[in-house]
Amino acid sequence: MVRGLHRFETSLWRRTAAFAAALVLAWPFAAIWLGPCPWPLRVWGAALAILGLVQPRWGLLLVAGLTPVATPLALTIGAPFGGAQMIEAMTVPFVVGFGLRTALSPAMARAPLMLPAAGLGTLIAIGGLVQLVAEQQTSAWASDFYPALFRHLVTDYFVDPATFVSAHLALVWIAGLGLATAASIVIAESDEARRSVVNVLLVGAAAAACLALQRLVEISARTPAPWPAAMRFAITERINPHYADLNAAGSYYAMFAVAAVWLAARARAWAAILTSPVIAFGLWMSGSRTALGAAVVGVAILLARGRRWRPIPLAIGAAAVVLAALMVMVNPGRQQAGAGEAVAIRAELAKVGVRLALREPLFGLGLGGFHRASVSEIDAGLMKRFPTSARGENAHNNFVQILVELGAFGLVTFLWLIAAALRTPTGTPANAIDAVGSIGSTAFAGGVAAFLVSCLAGHPLLTPQVLIGFLLVVGTIVGLGGPMRRDLSSRRTSGTALGIALLFAAVATPWRIDRRIAALTTDGASIGVSPAGGEMDGIRYRVVQGKARYWVPGSVQAVELPLRLPEGGACDVALDVNDRRANVVRPTADKWSVAELPMGPGSARRARRLDLTVSPGDCRVLVGPLGRRD
């Protein structure tokens, strides 16, 4: 009876997690119809949602096969956005449909990835919520901010990714984690899916690489001697027509190249034999030295795992791997920074990452926080070596990036997700389908290992196309393992530890919001003050009508605020500090009145509110610059 009750509780929380994911993603799902999306995408969304609900195997295969070419598809259908938004629009409907299917299912299937995926998704959602609340507090009144956020999510989500960036960054991760969990369940439950998904994934990656070949042919055909030009461009140029981060493209192709080579060698699979050269070409054209070296390491890991090496062959093999890695790292044909210089820059950025991680060690600065916060930590030496870093830079190490943005809890949960996928299957294959799945699972595990090696010198997971492709492969590995895998999410110890961590994250949310507001008010922030004004008697002013708010850093001991009326009349300005009345000023039109307010002792990590209430409500007051005394 106790075991049955535990199974019921486990099924209940899984169904709740699936419903929560579907509910969160329902907002961008609605934007496919309520926003300016072309009709082919709306048809796709409806079809994928229905397939996810009633026939998820076909939905998963469509997502796996077509998302690698999201960018050209966006161009083909005339979408008013790029590949990053297109791949999200192609993924969200399936995850929503499958989430509803899972939530409504009376008997929840095994879901080895659901516990770590749900944990990481929850941490990301809380972090996004913290960032949005802090942005609202320092940018607009709640009555304006949240209706605008709602309208954006259900209408302009795909066409305006630069607005409410925190929501976009969180939702693309949640969509990817939902896809990984769905893939692990669908593939494990369906022999047909396990037969097909490997080939579909490889063909999709090869199709993406073919577009790099097409681009090479196009630029070569414009020259007087196309063939020599093509050979020269293949050595000297870096090409990826899907997204700007060429190193991220290299990580993506390295993952699939390792899997394709292993499947071609071990399983003699025709799809792998045909696609491996094409995918390898895409990897080469990305020009990522780290990805090329990581692919060599990934194949070496698979070789070492599949054999019992004696000392001498092991030493020879290790030397061959090192030599091959050095050869691809040197890559003298392309105009790139030297390998030594690239390593030095990444070492400096790692130091920046450590300093940023110490600011919020447990839960991080939030997704996108590394780039924003790094401006204050990058010194003149790094700027000279890497000029673009003056405007902020990312970590060039995805593990450091996750540590800074999601904290220690986020990094541990991410590693748990990877460990759940790469964990060695127990038992022996029960049939031929399981044997195929075992080889495919091993092949993609080697590909993921290569991808993770490349993450040590890059940040491919910042690119949505790569993030979703990577998480899809993670879910595929688990699904291909089939009945040989034990359900990791049923472990009470893991579930209890995660529950405690998430409870702590939820309880700490108000404290995190305060710290985030303090970080955003270093240079001051205000609400309700006109964006533009003028100058009078040498004082530049802006206009306040009704009410306004200034956020004052906690280290400030006192403030001065010049006030004046634009014309004759009688107006009162009530000044409150953290909801306590500090002063009431009656400014005039003939001169500036300076309101002096002692702020009292405070904490540098907790900002304080200075509220202005103008009465009567139709009165306009000119407000000069806020003076501060530390």
Side-chain angles (χ1 to χ4, degrees):
M1 180 177 177
V2 173
R3 181 177 298 179
L5 179 61
H6 175 64
R7 282 199 299 266
F8 172 76
E9 292 174 346
T10 302
S11 175
L12 180 61
W13 86 256
R14 290 176 184 169
R15 292 163 64 185
T16 302
F19 179 75
L23 184 62
V24 169
L25 294 176
W27 297 50
F29 179 59
I32 296 176
W33 284 274
L34 300 180
C37 293
W39 69 263
L41 189 57
R42 296 180 180 181
V43 173
W44 168 271
L48 259 291
I50 294 171
L51 287 174
L53 189 62
V54 300
Q55 193 59 260
R57 173 170 63 93
W58 288 106
L60 178 65
L61 293 178
L62 284 173
V63 171
L66 293 178
T67 50
V69 290
T71 299
L73 284 176
L75 294 172
T76 300
I77 66 174
F81 41 75
Q85 293 72 48
M86 185 67 179
I87 196 170
E88 196 174 356
M90 295 173 70
T91 303
V92 163
F94 172 72
V95 177
V96 170
F98 187 80
L100 291 176
R101 173 190 174 92
T102 303
L104 297 173
S105 175
M108 176 64 198
R110 297 180 308 108
L113 281 187
M114 183 167 278
L115 191 60
L120 184 57
T122 302
L123 289 173
I124 288 171
I126 292 175
L129 179 63
V130 167
Q131 185 65 20
L132 285 171
V133 171
E135 290 174 4
Q136 178 270 308
Q137 291 285 309
T138 56
S139 63
W141 298 111
S143 57
D144 298 325
F145 184 89
Y146 291 112
L149 173 61
F150 174 77
R151 288 192 300 271
H152 174 80
L153 291 177
V154 299
T155 56
D156 297 332
Y157 178 82
F158 295 109
V159 297
D160 186 16
T163 304
F164 299 109
V165 174
S166 301
H168 284 266
L169 295 175
L171 287 171
V172 70
W173 265 95
I174 291 171
L177 291 168
L179 179 62
T181 305
S184 68
I185 297 172
V186 172
I187 297 171
E189 287 184 333
S190 170
D191 289 346
E192 292 80 3
R194 291 164 68 195
R195 287 191 187 99
S196 307
V197 69
V198 171
N199 294 339
V200 170
L201 285 171
L202 294 180
V203 170
C210 280
L211 293 173
L213 176 61
Q214 178 187 4
R215 183 64 57 84
L216 177 64
V217 171
E218 287 177 351
I219 63 175
S220 302
R222 298 170 187 165
T223 64
W227 284 107
M231 296 296 293
R232 184 176 70 256
F233 290 150
I235 296 173
T236 60
E237 299 298 321
R238 303 180 68 184
I239 297 176
N240 176 54
H242 302 281
Y243 34 87
D245 192 336
L246 293 162
N247 292 327
S251 299
Y252 176 85
Y253 287 124
M255 177 172 62
F256 285 101
V258 170
V261 168
W262 188 256
L263 283 164
R266 292 295 304 271
R268 304 293 192 272
W270 280 106
I273 293 172
L274 294 175
T275 59
S276 54
V278 182
I279 298 172
F281 174 79
L283 170 59
W284 173 260
M285 290 310 301
S286 73
S288 172
R289 294 168 294 189
T290 300
L292 287 163
V296 174
V297 173
V299 173
I301 290 173
L302 290 177
L303 288 171
R305 181 183 180 277
R307 302 173 183 270
R308 291 186 176 182
W309 291 93
R310 289 177 295 178
I312 294 178
L314 179 60
I316 295 174
V321 168
V322 171
L323 179 61
L326 288 175
M327 289 176 62
V328 297
M329 286 291 286
V330 171
N331 186 17
R334 296 187 171 101
Q335 296 298 317
Q336 296 171 273
E341 183 70 6
V343 171
I345 290 172
R346 282 161 172 77
E348 290 299 318
L349 288 171
K351 295 177 184 177
V352 171
V354 171
R355 293 195 293 270
L356 292 178
L358 292 176
R359 294 186 184 181
E360 297 288 349
L362 295 181
F363 300 109
L365 302 175
L367 292 175
F370 193 110
H371 194 281
R372 292 191 301 266
S374 63
V375 176
S376 62
E377 295 289 346
I378 293 175
D379 58 25
L382 181 55
M383 289 182 194
K384 184 177 180 180
R385 274 182 161 176
F386 194 26
T388 59
S389 65
R391 299 187 298 272
E393 191 49 73
N394 290 303
H396 287 70
N397 181 318
N398 230 134
F399 300 103
V400 174
Q401 189 93 18
I402 292 174
L403 175 63
V404 170
E405 296 186 347
L406 298 179
F409 282 165
L411 179 59
V412 169
T413 310
F414 173 76
L415 295 176
W416 178 18
L417 178 80
I418 303 304
L422 299 184
R423 185 173 180 271
T424 304
T426 59
T428 57
N431 50 50
I433 298 298
D434 292 338
V436 172
S438 178
I439 296 174
S441 180
T442 301
F444 278 111
V448 166
F451 185 95
L452 295 175
V453 170
S454 75
C455 286
L456 294 172
H459 39 248
L461 296 179
L462 297 184
T463 302
Q465 296 95 315
V466 179
L467 170 66
I468 289 177
F470 170 75
L471 290 174
L472 174 59
V473 170
V474 167
T476 298
I477 293 171
V478 177
L480 290 173
M484 295 183 292
R485 290 189 178 273
R486 291 178 296 181
D487 189 353
L488 303 181
S489 64
S490 66
R491 293 186 175 182
R492 295 186 181 184
T493 303
S494 300
T496 301
L498 179 62
I500 293 173
L502 295 182
L503 178 62
F504 182 53
V507 172
T509 298
W511 171 76
R512 293 173 64 190
I513 292 173
D514 282 341
R515 288 178 60 87
R516 192 62 49 80
I517 290 174
L520 292 173
T521 57
T522 301
D523 297 321
S526 60
I527 305 174
V529 184
S530 67
E535 184 175 336
M536 185 179 294
D537 295 342
I539 296 179
R540 297 196 62 82
Y541 65 84
R542 293 190 291 171
V543 181
V544 171
Q545 182 175 354
K547 59 180 181 177
R549 171 173 294 168
Y550 286 87
W551 283 97
V552 182
S555 59
V556 174
Q557 299 297 310
V559 298
E560 296 178 348
L561 189 64
L563 301 171
R564 187 169 183 169
L565 296 182
E567 54 192 16
C571 296
D572 290 332
V573 181
L575 302 170
D576 299 332
V577 176
N578 284 353
D579 297 327
R580 287 191 171 189
R581 184 60 46 86
N583 200 351
V584 177
V585 180
R586 176 166 289 183
T588 62
D590 57 344
K591 65 177 181 178
W592 288 95
S593 302
V594 179
E596 298 183 359
L597 298 173
M599 303 299 290
S603 169
R605 295 183 175 182
R606 188 180 182 90
R608 285 170 289 185
R609 301 184 307 275
L610 171 60
D611 290 318
L612 285 68
T613 304
V614 180
S615 58
D618 58 350
C619 187
R620 297 168 67 249
V621 175
L622 310 183
V623 181
L626 184 69
R628 303 182 302 186
R629 186 171 69 250
D630 295 338

